[in-house]
Amino acid sequence: MHEVVAVDIGGTHARFAIASIAADGAITLGEPETLHTADHASFQTAWEAFRERMGGTLPAVVSMAIAGPVGSPGNLNPVIRFTNNPWIIRPPLIPEKLDVERFTIVNDFAAVAHAVARADASQFLHLAGPDEPLGHDGTISVIGPGTGLGVAHLWRSGSAYRVQATEGGHIDFAPLDSIEDAILARLRRRHNRVSVERVVAGPGIVDIYHALAALEQRSVPERDAIEIWTLGTSGEDSLAAAAIDRFCLSLGSVAGDLALAQGGFAGVVIAGGLGYRIRDTLLASGFAERFKAKGRFESLMASIPVKLIVHPQPGLFGAAAAYASEHLPPPGAPA
């Protein structure tokens, strides 16, 4: 049994948990602790606060999932900066500053892909395609609409797998009908280039909402993304609900495009809290039809299982899995 401090660091929160990794590769997370990044001057002081909460001692190994570019396991960036908080992490100083013997650092969405690779089948909700488990051989595409659009993929053969983080959220948005033409036109007035992240990430609901209002020649108040998501999911505002349905359609198209580009024919996984919150809408929407609507490849797309990961802490679970992948022998291998 190996114990690891798993950490998932974003712009607003840093989540910590003690993870136990068994000889058969099974990962168990202790109760997560969430700290606000704004309450701590550095990651080191947040680490010390967590250590104090845990009674003053921690395992001598740490695995961190970080929201930002980190480099690769063999070639980490010498200085890791966050987009939305002032913390700086210098990997060469981690053993000294945190008093650990070994560490792993991965991109936060790479950690989610590690979670997909290791999670039990019960942690997935079926969305589209054949109602069967994700393939154990081949490529699985992982897509996470949140504040941005996270994209990664993993290739696996039996119990062996490799994860690749990408910047797939920044491919060009391709409208498929006149409504999406209107959404694109609205976005082009403010951006030289419109990526899929502008439409199928959480903040994109604002432009979808206002584009639909303009099509109906309706005057609507200025609302932020949280308000529109709330009004739409509750059914209080029919235009907000229509915007969410349109979001689901566009997400289906983008997910299908990414599966084609990555060869994600062993499965596609939607990740992130936003996907979970709108899971019922996704199931009832045209997401599945848009996913497979790829012309000559429609039959291929219809054969791909599409899932939603429902693990409560995929970042922490994935950080522990990334550590196991980097430092521990695969299950069944000689120690």
Side-chain angles (χ1 to χ4, degrees):
M1 182 74 73
H2 293 263
E3 284 198 331
V4 181
V5 182
V7 189
D8 182 14
I9 313 170
T12 305
H13 299 106
R15 296 177 173 87
F16 297 78
I18 306 299
S20 299
I21 306 173
D24 64 358
I27 297 169
T28 304
L29 286 181
E31 189 65 28
E33 295 275 352
T34 301
L35 303 181
H36 290 277
T37 56
D39 293 340
H40 299 275
S42 68
F43 175 64
Q44 184 178 357
T45 64
W47 172 272
E48 291 167 355
F50 174 65
R51 184 173 61 199
E52 184 176 343
R53 291 188 186 191
M54 299 303 293
T57 58
L58 292 172
V61 291
V62 60
S63 185
M64 292 180 274
I66 291 176
V70 300
S72 59
N75 188 29
L76 291 171
N77 295 343
V79 179
I80 297 173
R81 302 177 188 276
F82 293 80
T83 303
N84 295 314
N85 83 52
W87 290 357
I88 294 173
I89 292 177
R90 293 180 172 84
L93 300 181
I94 286 175
E96 172 192 349
K97 297 294 186 182
L98 305 186
D99 192 24
V100 296
E101 298 171 0
R102 189 181 286 180
F103 67 90
T104 289
I105 295 178
V106 292
N107 166 268
D108 63 334
F109 214 74
V112 172
H114 277 282
V116 168
R118 298 251 184 171
D120 183 81
S122 64
Q123 297 293 333
F124 296 95
L125 172 70
H126 181 68
L127 288 179
D131 190 357
E132 60 188 37
L134 298 168
H136 287 285
D137 293 282
T139 298
I140 297 170
S141 297
V142 187
I143 301 148
T147 303
L149 183 67
V151 178
H153 58 89
L154 67 100
W155 172 89
R156 64 182 177 185
S157 178
S159 61
Y161 72 92
R162 288 181 176 273
V163 163
Q164 177 65 60
T166 80
E167 293 299 337
H170 300 285
I171 63 173
D172 290 329
F173 174 65
L176 290 187
D177 60 23
S178 60
I179 293 177
E180 288 174 355
D181 285 340
I183 294 168
L184 178 61
R186 174 182 170 84
L187 286 162
R188 273 188 174 154
R189 289 196 286 270
R190 297 199 311 281
H191 308 288
N192 291 331
R193 177 178 174 273
V194 179
S195 67
V196 292
E197 184 175 84
R198 301 286 188 189
V199 180
V200 293
I205 199 71
V206 175
D207 285 296
I208 297 173
Y209 180 76
H210 284 284
L212 295 183
L215 284 172
E216 293 192 356
Q217 299 182 336
R218 290 173 56 176
S219 177
V220 292
E222 289 297 324
R223 292 185 164 122
D224 63 19
I226 293 174
E227 187 177 5
I228 295 171
W229 283 111
T230 301
L231 290 170
T233 53
S234 68
E236 294 178 54
D237 183 315
S238 59
L239 190 66
I244 292 175
D245 192 63
R246 174 57 56 171
F247 177 95
C248 294
L249 288 171
S250 296
L251 180 61
S253 293
V254 171
D257 287 344
L258 288 165
L260 282 173
Q262 296 177 344
F265 308 136
V268 171
V269 175
I270 305 299
L274 176 57
Y276 184 74
R277 288 194 297 275
I278 64 169
R279 61 193 181 280
D280 292 336
T281 306
L282 276 173
L283 286 165
S285 73
F287 171 91
E289 288 302 313
R290 275 292 194 93
F291 177 83
K292 70 179 184 180
K294 302 299 177 189
R296 291 168 291 171
F297 291 94
E298 185 165 327
S299 60
L300 171 64
M301 302 306 291
S303 72
I304 299 173
V306 184
K307 310 287 185 183
L308 176 72
I309 187 168
V310 296
H311 192 286
Q313 293 290 344
L316 291 173
F317 183 83
Y323 174 85
S325 180
E326 183 177 352
H327 293 292
L328 301 180

